[in-house]
Each structure stands twice: as C-alpha cells, then as structure tokens.
Amino acid sequence: WLKRSRAPSPHSLSLGPGPPARSHPPMLRPGPPGGMERTAEVERLQEHGCSVLCLDCPEGMLFGIDYSAWTVGPRFMGVKLVPPGLHYVYSSGSGEDVGVSRTGFFLYMRPKDVAVFRWDPATEELVRPDNPDEEARYADGVRGFDFDANLGPYPLDLSSQ
C-alpha cells in the first residue's frame, strides 16, 4: 500500500500497512478489477513500461525516481509502469533526506526493461547485482508479476514532464 505524507519536497510516499491514500491510486495488479484507474496511459505502460526492482531496501530509506521520492516501508521492492526513456534514480539510507548521503545515477530504459539493484548497507547505495544470471532471473520474475504486489506505480503525472 502507498501512503502519502505531506512533506515540503520531494513528495514522500511509503509502502506500508493500511489502506491506500485517497490522493494516490492503489497499485495496479494484473487482471483483477479494482486496481489503478485503467486509462490509455496505464494500458500502454502495462504493455511497454519498465520496472526498477530494488532488493534488500531497509525500511525508512529514501528512494526516488525523477521528481518523486518515497520513504519506503517494509514491503517496498521498487517501481513499475515506468515510461521508457532517461530517468534519474536516487536513494539515501535515511528518509530524512538531508542530502549528505544521497546518491543517484541516470538510467536509460528501453520498452519492457527491468533494472535490478540491491541495497548495499556498507556504501548505502543501490548497486547492480554482481552475477548477470541472478539479475536475469530477477528481471524474469518481475516480468512474470512475481514482485507486483511490492512494486509501487510510477507517478503518471510525471510521465508528461
């Protein structure tokens, strides 16, 4: 579930227990009705969108992509329905977002790409897995909806920016 808390900037969302916040649609699940509003954009992103899978993220860390950031909850594993193209991904070991320990990188994604990262507690940053076979297995799991319940939707209002 996504819960929005008001913060000056960036927007703060967290995956955690409780009902979905009214200001942000619930996560999209394949098939059953009652998920995110099925607009033409959502339909297009279900077919051609990308995902960013983040493994081993500690609860309370900051994760951001483009102009949105989330303070993550215990179930957070990344973002789905990401439009193809260039994105800026950033993180910090603390949800306080003091900026001192924030790290980030640009990520170019083609249609249907899945980017896999793992939180490294020693360096407090997201890193690619060392094993390409492991990365491919995780990407296949995302494409097979194995992680869908733990992936928050990319904020569609950003896809036009």
Side-chain angles (χ1 to χ4, degrees), residues 1-5 13 18-26:
W1 298 94
L2 290 172
K3 292 193 300 185
R4 179 173 287 202
S5 60
L13 298 172
R22 291 179 183 225
S23 61
H24 194 78

Side-chain angles (χ1 to χ4, degrees), residues 5-82:
S5 60
R6 295 287 178 207
S9 180
H11 298 95
S12 181
L13 298 172
S14 65
L15 269 175
R22 291 179 183 225
S23 61
H24 194 78
M27 292 185 289
L28 180 66
R29 297 176 190 268
M36 179 183 272
E37 184 180 342
R38 299 184 77 80
T39 64
E41 178 71 358
V42 170
E43 294 289 337
R44 186 183 69 77
L45 288 173
Q46 270 196 300
E47 181 67 28
H48 302 289
C50 308
S51 297
V52 179
L53 181 68
C54 303
L55 304 168
D56 304 327
C57 291
E59 184 175 357
M61 74 169 270
L62 177 83
F63 172 83
I65 184 168
D66 300 330
Y67 296 109
S68 282
W70 294 266
T71 299
V72 306
R75 295 178 33 213
F76 178 83
M77 293 186 80
V79 180
K80 62 185 174 183
L81 301 175
V82 178

Side-chain angles (χ1 to χ4, degrees), residues 80-151:
K80 62 185 174 183
L81 301 175
V82 178
L86 186 64
H87 299 279
Y88 185 68
V89 176
Y90 51 98
S91 61
S92 175
S94 168
E96 298 294 318
D97 190 34
V98 291
V100 176
S101 64
R102 183 190 287 191
T103 60
F105 50 89
F106 286 97
L107 178 64
Y108 182 79
M109 302 184 80
R110 294 173 305 210
K112 301 183 182 183
D113 272 356
V114 176
V116 179
F117 298 96
R118 182 179 305 279
W119 178 255
D120 183 341
T123 61
E124 291 195 341
E125 63 184 344
L126 291 168
V127 296
R128 291 275 191 175
D130 292 331
N131 184 333
D133 291 334
E134 176 188 24
E135 187 172 0
R137 284 192 301 274
Y138 277 115
D140 287 344
V142 170
R143 289 185 191 103
F145 301 104
D146 295 342
F147 300 98
D148 205 58
N150 300 88
L151 298 175

